[in-house]
Amino acid sequence: MGLFTGRKGLVLGIANERSIAWAITENLHREGAEMGFTHLPDAGDRPKNQNKVAKLVDPIGSKFLMPMDVCNDEHIDAVIAKAVETFGQIDFIVHSIAFAPPADLTGPTYASSRNGFKTAMEISAYSLLAVAGAAKRRNALSKDASILTLTYFGGEEVIPGYNLMGICKAALECSVRYLASELGPDGVRVNGISAGPVKTVSAMGVGDFDDMLNLYRGISPMRRNISADEVGKTGMALLSDLSSGITGEIVHVDCGFSIMGAPPADFFQQPEAKA
Ligand SMILES: NC(=O)c1ccc[n+]([C@@H]2O[C@H](COP(=O)([O-])OP(=O)(O)OC[C@H]3O[C@@H](n4cnc5c(N)ncnc54)[C@H](O)[C@@H]3O)[C@@H](O)[C@H]2O)c1
């Protein structure tokens, strides 16, 4: 029997096999979870996004796959309604969604457009509140449900290149705490994982990714980068009964990078650091 045998939930934010949401899904599936999924709606006639996600989730027995744009309240409500129709109540929600218009993301933050800021905040931070709100209104969450979102250290400290998304992540992390406080009396937990860099579609839009990986490898106490599966394992644990006393937390899965106030001495001996 797996940790998730008999447990049901929603995973929002798989784009392809590199997505962090997919790494979490693989761990949930291994433990016996039943899941419904969403994909970004396709423009035009070709179901490109749908096909990419279906190729991954069909073989693991997906209970449903629906289009959902988090900027559209009707989409969100339809997904929650489908989850209730399929599962009754759900035990977990994975929210693994972020976006900022590239022109606004490249910075500096003071050059962000008003509309770019609104879009980035709406998709990357407000969407967690919207999904939680829709689930609450439909009484979709079981008495020990767990909600998980994904964030990054650039929401706590300045990471050059992360720019506008850092501001969104600060709002997202604060939303985790408010939601945890508001949903806690129902038994519902809300947490975030602050992940180190993982090579995904979204990550490639933020600065020079290979430099970032080198930096993390050189500075992290563990002197390496994380794997998507390490985020997947911790995500699974935060959604499971293993973490039944944890809520409102942002757990860093970053090989310790975020605890360092300055690079270690050996960082300056690395050829890439000297270059
Ligand atoms: N990859 C990293 O290095 C890293 C590190 C820390 C945190 N994160 C966070 O992890 C989460 C997942 O990102 P990822 O790296 O797996 O990349 P990804 O591109 O695989 O996932 C991002 C998802 O957001 C979805 N999305 C974007 N706009 C949407 C909208 N309007 N409606 C619905 N869905 C929408 C995309 O379809 C995609 O599935 C994001 O919140 C990201 O900021 C990523």
Side-chain angles (χ1 to χ4, degrees), residues 13-16 18-21 39-41 68-71 95-99 123 149-152 162 165 169 172 193-203 209:
I14 298 177
N16 57 36
R18 287 175 175 244
S19 296
I20 289 176
H39 64 84
L40 198 60
M68 185 189 72
D69 178 350
V70 290
C71 297
H95 170 279
S96 187
I97 289 171
F99 175 80
I123 296 176
T149 191
L150 272 300
T151 184
Y152 177 61
Y162 205 60
M165 192 51 72
K169 291 304 192 192
L172 180 72
I193 288 180
S194 183
V198 177
K199 226 170 192 169
T200 63
V201 175
S202 295
F209 202 77

Side-chain angles (χ1 to χ4, degrees), residues 92-160:
F92 61 88
I93 300 177
V94 177
H95 170 279
S96 187
I97 289 171
F99 175 80
D104 297 288
L105 188 59
T106 45
T109 56
Y110 61 72
S112 301
S113 68
R114 195 177 294 272
N115 279 336
F117 183 89
K118 282 185 188 167
T119 301
M121 274 288 187
E122 180 177 8
I123 296 176
S124 313
Y126 175 72
S127 63
L128 179 68
L129 304 179
V131 169
K136 169 85 178 161
R137 279 191 296 281
R138 284 194 176 267
N139 193 25
L141 298 166
S142 67
K143 62 173 184 2
D144 59 352
S146 177
I147 300 176
L148 176 72
T149 191
L150 272 300
T151 184
Y152 177 61
F153 188 50
E156 296 170 65
E157 307 283 348
V158 173
I159 301 287

